C-alpha cells in the first residue's frame, strides 16, 4: 500500500466550467501556500481492495426518512453565481497579418473591421445561499475571486448583478449583496449540535444543473484536512465532512439538516478525479455566521488570538512527557510573549482540554472554538499541568496584542498615486519592471519616508509592474493571519539611489 505521504493536493475551482479550469490549476500549482477551495485531493489509486470478508446480515426494518420538507425550504434560498472576466488580449506589437504579408494591405477584397474591445465572458460557475430577505448572499471566496462582474440567478429565474460586501480567504467565505427584497432566506442552524451519522442534504448547482439536492450523512466533525493528508493548511480548518454528493459547481451551496436548517457551506471535495467520491467538506454554519456578521459590522473579520503554538496530543508526546491524566487535547509547545495566554499563566507543556466547557480534542476542534470569538472576549480554559486539572479565565487579544477591533484596511490609506513606468524610463533606469510613486499625501507611504518619484521594484519579494500588482499584495497582507502586517518595499530613485522601506499596515 502506498504511503499517504504521497498524496497530492490539487486545486480545482468549483466554478471551473469552461476554459479557465487549467488556469486555476496552474494558479494553485504556482502558489502552493494557498488553496482555491472547491478542491479535490488526489487519493492513491493503488490502495489494496480488501476482499473475502465475512458479513453477518440481520434482517430489519428500513429507516424511513422524508427529505421533501428540507428540500422545499432550501432550493429557493440557494442561488447560481456566475463570474465574468475580460480575457486579456494578445500582444499585437510584433504581429504580422499573413494576408498583408503575401498580398499587401491594398489587395484585400474586403477591409477588415477594427478589432472590437474584448468582451466579458463567463469564467466560472458556483452556488450561494440567501441569508436575508433583502439580498445578502453567502458563498465561497474562491467562487467570486478575480471576477469583474458577478451575476446571481435565483431559483425563480430572476437575474441580478451582485456586489461584493467583503471576503475572508482564511475561511473561504464571501458576502455578496443583490438589490432585491422579499426573498426566502435559509434559516441558520447550530453546527455544534449536529452529530456524526445525522442525515444532511447538499443543495447547489453541480456542473450547472441548478437546484440540485443530494443526501448523505455527517461523516465527521472538526475535520482538519492538512492533518489527515500531511499537506499545507488551507486556512481555518475545521470542516464538517459528509458523504452527500458534492461536485464542481456545488461550492458555496448549502448543507442543511432534514429540518432545512443551514449547518454548513459546501467548500471542498476529496477525490481521485475531481468529482464526487464520497468525501465532501463544508464550513460549519457557526463559523459562517460569525464571519458574515463581522464583515457586515466591521468590514473585516475579527479574530481572537490566544497566543500559543500547539499540536495535537499524540500517544508519543504523552509517553515522552509523562502525561497520563488525559489522552486527548492540545499540547502547548510554546507561549508567545505579551500574549493573552502568557498573561493568564499558560505555559509550554500544558494540555488544553476544554474552552468554555466545550471539549477540545484536537487541532480541528481548537480552531473551531477559537473561530467563535473576538478580541476582548473572555473565555474559560481548562488544562492539564503535571497531570492535575486547572481552569483559568483569559481575555483574548487580536494579532497586534490588544483588545481593539481591527479596522478594514483601504488601499487609499497608503496615501499615494502610482503609475506604470514607461519603456523609456525603464531603459533609463536599466530595469525591466516597476511602479512609480507620482504623488504623496498624508498616509502610510509618507509616514515610512517614501518620497515622490520613488520607483517600487518589489514588495515582500514579489515583483510589481502596475498599481494593480501593488493593491493585490496590499490586500493579501491585510487579509493574512500574520501578526506582522508589513510591506517590505525595495526600489530606486531617478538618481539611481536604491532604497528600502518598511510600511506597517496595522494601526
Amino acid at each position: 500500500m502506498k504511503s499517504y505521504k504521497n498524496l497530492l493536493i490539487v486545486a480545482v475551482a468549483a466554478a471551473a466550467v469552461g476554459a479557465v479550469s487549467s488556469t486555476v490549476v496552474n494558479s494553485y500549482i504556482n502558489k502552493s501556500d494557498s488553496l482555491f477551495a472547491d478542491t479535490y485531493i488526489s487519493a492513491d489509486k493503488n490502495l489494496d481492495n480488501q476482499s473475502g470478508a465475512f458479513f453477518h446480515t440481520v434482517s430489519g426494518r428500513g429507516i424511513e426518512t422524508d427529505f421533501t420538507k428540507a428540500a422545499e425550504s432550501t432550493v429557493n434560498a440557494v442561488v447560481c453565481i456566475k463570474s465574468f472576466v475580460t480575457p486579456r488580449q494578445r500582444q499585437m506589437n510584433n504581429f504580422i497579418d499573413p494576408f498583408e504579408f503575401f498580398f499587401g494591405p491594398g489587395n484585400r477584397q474586403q477591409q477588415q473591421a477594427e478589432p472590437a474591445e474584448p468582451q466579458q465572458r463567463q469564467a466560472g460557475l458556483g452556488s450561494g445561499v440567501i441569508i436575508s430577505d433583502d439580498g445578502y448572499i453567502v458563498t465561497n471566496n474562491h467562487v467570486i475571486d478575480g471576477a469583474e462582474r458577478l451575476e446571481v440567478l435565483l431559483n425563480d429565474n430572476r437575474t441580478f448583478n451582485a456586489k461584493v460586501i467583503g471576503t475572508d480567504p482564511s475561511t473561504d467565505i464571501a458576502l455578496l449583496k443583490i438589490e432585491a427584497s422579499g426573498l426566502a432566506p435559509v434559516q441558520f442552524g447550530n453546527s455544534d449540535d449536529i452529530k456524526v451519522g445525522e442525515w444532511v442534504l447538499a443543495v447547489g448547482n453541480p456542473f450547472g444543473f441548478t437546484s440540485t439536492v443530494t443526501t448523505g450523512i455527517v461523516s465527521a466533525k472538526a475535520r482538519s484536512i492538512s492533518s489527515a493528508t500531511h499537506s499545507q493548511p488551507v486556512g481555518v480548518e475545521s470542516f464538517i465532512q459528509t458523504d452527500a454528493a458534492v461536485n464542481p459547481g456545488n461550492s458555496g451551496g448549502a448543507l442543511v439538516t432534514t429540518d432545512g436548517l443551514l449547518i454548513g457551506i459546501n467548500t471542498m471535495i476529496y477525490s481521485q478525479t475531481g468529482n464526487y467520491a464520497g468525501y465532501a467538506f463544508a464550513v460549519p454554519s457557526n463559523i459562517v455566521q460569525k464571519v458574515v456578521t463581522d464583515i457586515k459590522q466591521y468590514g473585516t473579520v475579527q479574530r481572537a488570538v490566544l497566543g500559543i503554538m500547539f499540536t495535537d496530543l499524540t500517544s508519543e508526546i504523552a509517553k515522552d512527557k509523562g502525561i497520563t491524566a488525559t489522552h486527548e487535547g492540545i499540547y502547548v509547545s510554546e507561549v508567545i510573549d505579551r500574549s493573552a495566554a502568557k498573561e493568564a499563566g499558560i505555559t509550554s507543556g500544558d494540555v488544553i482540554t476544554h474552552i468554555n466547557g466545550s471539549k477540545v480534542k484536537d487541532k480541528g476542534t481548537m480552531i473551531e472554538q477559537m473561530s467563535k470569538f473576538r478580541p476582548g472576549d473572555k473565555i474559560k480554559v481548562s488544562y492539564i499541568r503535571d497531570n492535575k486539572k486547572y481552569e483559568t479565565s483569559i481575555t483574548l487579544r487580536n494579532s497586534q496584542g490588544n483588545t481593539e477591533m481591527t479596522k478594514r484596511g483601504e488601499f487609499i490609506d497608503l496615501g499615494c498615486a502610482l503609475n506604470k513606468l514607461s519603456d523609456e524610463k525603464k531603459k533609463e533606469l536599466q530595469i525591466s519592471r516597476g511602479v512609480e510613486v507620482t504623488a504623496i499625501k498624508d498616509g502610510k507611504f509618507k509616514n515610512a519616508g517614501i518620497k515622490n518619484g520613488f520607483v517600487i521594484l518589489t514588495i515582500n519579494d514579489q515583483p510589481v509592474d502596475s498599481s494593480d500588482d501593488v493593491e493585490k499584495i496590499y490586500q493579501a497582507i491585510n487579509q493574512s493571519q500574520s501578526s506582522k502586517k508589513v510591506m517590505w518595499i525595495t526600489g530606486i530613485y531617478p538618481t539611481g539611489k536604491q532604497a528600502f522601506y518598511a510600511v506597517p499596515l496595522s494601526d
Side-chain angles (χ1 to χ4, degrees), residues 80-345:
C80 180
I81 299 176
K82 300 176 182 179
S83 62
F84 293 85
V85 298
T86 303
R88 291 186 177 182
Q89 287 184 302
R90 290 182 301 175
Q91 295 293 328
M92 302 296 289
N93 296 344
N94 299 318
F95 178 74
I96 299 176
D97 188 333
F99 188 95
E100 294 185 5
F101 182 80
F102 287 105
F103 303 104
N107 294 324
R108 287 180 182 269
Q109 293 182 353
Q110 183 178 359
Q111 184 70 28
Q112 285 188 337
E114 289 293 320
E117 288 292 319
Q119 299 296 310
Q120 286 184 338
R121 70 180 183 190
Q122 185 177 327
L125 184 70
S127 304
V129 181
I130 300 171
I131 59 172
S132 70
D133 58 6
D134 59 347
Y136 281 98
I137 295 170
V138 65
T139 184
N140 284 144
N141 177 63
H142 75 264
V143 169
I144 59 95
D145 188 35
E148 296 173 5
R149 182 171 67 88
L150 294 170
E151 185 178 282
V152 170
L153 173 66
L154 304 187
N155 195 44
D156 61 7
N157 290 325
R158 285 186 292 167
T159 301
F160 297 86
N161 286 327
K163 176 183 178 182
V164 178
I165 302 300
T167 63
D168 182 40
S170 293
T171 54
D172 198 23
I173 293 297
L175 182 64
L176 313 181
K177 180 72 166 64
I178 60 174
E179 294 305 317
S181 59
L183 302 178
V186 72
Q187 299 299 310
F188 273 86
N190 187 344
S191 54
D192 287 349
D193 291 343
I194 62 168
K195 298 179 180 179
V196 173
E198 189 173 332
W199 282 103
V200 287
L201 287 76
V203 186
N205 307 287
F207 304 114
F209 294 107
T210 58
S211 306
T212 297
V213 181
T214 57
T215 63
I217 63 167
V218 174
S219 304
K221 294 177 61 177
R223 178 70 78 195
S224 171
I225 296 176
S226 62
S227 296
T229 60
H230 308 291
S231 57
Q232 283 278 358
V234 296
V236 177
E237 283 196 348
S238 183
F239 297 107
I240 298 170
Q241 181 181 327
T242 175
D243 65 350
V246 171
N247 282 292
N250 271 112
S251 276
L255 186 70
V256 300
T257 66
T258 53
D259 293 326
L261 299 177
L262 182 75
I263 49 92
I265 296 296
N266 296 315
T267 300
M268 301 190 345
I269 58 178
Y270 180 102
S271 172
Q272 295 177 343
T273 62
N275 299 330
Y276 170 70
Y279 304 93
F281 300 90
V283 179
S285 61
N286 287 0
I287 294 179
V288 174
Q289 202 163 16
K290 158 72 164 49
V291 168
V292 298
T293 299
D294 282 354
I295 289 174
K296 287 180 68 175
Q297 187 170 349
Y298 303 104
T300 187
V301 179
Q302 305 297 322
R303 289 201 163 85
V305 177
L306 192 55
I308 61 172
M309 305 293 289
F310 61 86
T311 187
D312 290 350
L313 177 65
T314 62
S315 57
E316 291 82 4
I317 292 175
K319 182 178 179 180
D320 182 55
K321 303 299 181 181
I323 300 170
T324 58
T326 182
H327 302 291
E328 296 178 322
I330 290 298
Y331 180 80
V332 179
S333 56
E334 182 182 348
V335 178
I336 308 302
D337 289 341
R338 301 175 61 229
S339 66
K342 188 87 169 180
E343 183 183 45

Side-chain angles (χ1 to χ4, degrees), residues 453-483:
F454 179 65
V455 176
I456 301 172
L457 300 178
T458 67
I459 302 176
N460 292 14
D461 294 327
Q462 298 182 54
V464 295
D465 198 33
S466 68
S467 60
D468 286 344
D469 292 342
V470 177
E471 184 170 3
K472 286 178 182 177
I473 296 172
Y474 171 86
Q475 297 296 352
I477 296 171
N478 259 329
Q479 293 171 349
S480 72
Q481 297 183 61
S482 173
S483 60

